[in-house]
Amino acid sequence: MLMAHPAILRNLVEQYETLRVLDAEQGTHTSRQRLEDVSYTLCVSTGTRQVADALAVAKRQLAAAPRVQDATNRVRGAANAVPAADSEVRLTA
């Protein structure tokens, strides 16, 4: 299963929580529609059908994200240690 990037999940969870409060306060058609849109996107991003399930999956994935991010940074660091193809490399014999 594909997993959404942690930054995207974090943003969706934050948007959901903010819009839930906004909808409770305003209760307008616009606030309800925005909440439904973010809820749908959160569900799609987590492979779930219910918002409660989507939030639970997102929180589990975000809790595991630092380990994934650390591994990604190590790979990027190793890649940066290799000279770029266009940089000058001198070989001596």
Side-chain angles (χ1 to χ4, degrees):
M1 178 174 105
L2 293 176
M3 289 178 44
H5 190 278
I8 291 173
L9 278 181
R10 193 171 291 109
N11 182 279
L12 286 170
V13 170
E14 289 172 2
Q15 282 186 55
Y16 174 81
E17 291 170 349
T18 300
L19 289 169
R20 201 172 94 202
V21 171
L22 183 67
D23 185 55
E25 290 174 353
Q26 294 181 355
T28 65
H29 174 73
T30 302
S31 65
R32 169 55 62 185
Q33 185 62 52
R34 289 177 62 199
L35 180 60
E36 288 177 7
D37 290 346
V38 169
S39 298
Y40 173 80
T41 305
L42 187 57
C43 287
V44 169
S45 297
T46 57
T48 60
R49 293 179 182 241
Q50 302 293 321
V51 176
D53 296 336
L55 290 169
V57 169
K59 289 179 183 182
R60 277 196 307 270
Q61 289 179 5
L62 290 171
R67 290 186 299 256
V68 171
Q69 192 64 35
D70 289 344
T72 302
N73 288 339
R74 282 194 301 275
V75 169
R76 285 186 183 146
N80 290 337
V82 176
D86 62 345
S87 67
E88 185 177 326
V89 177
R90 293 184 186 142
L91 299 176
T92 58

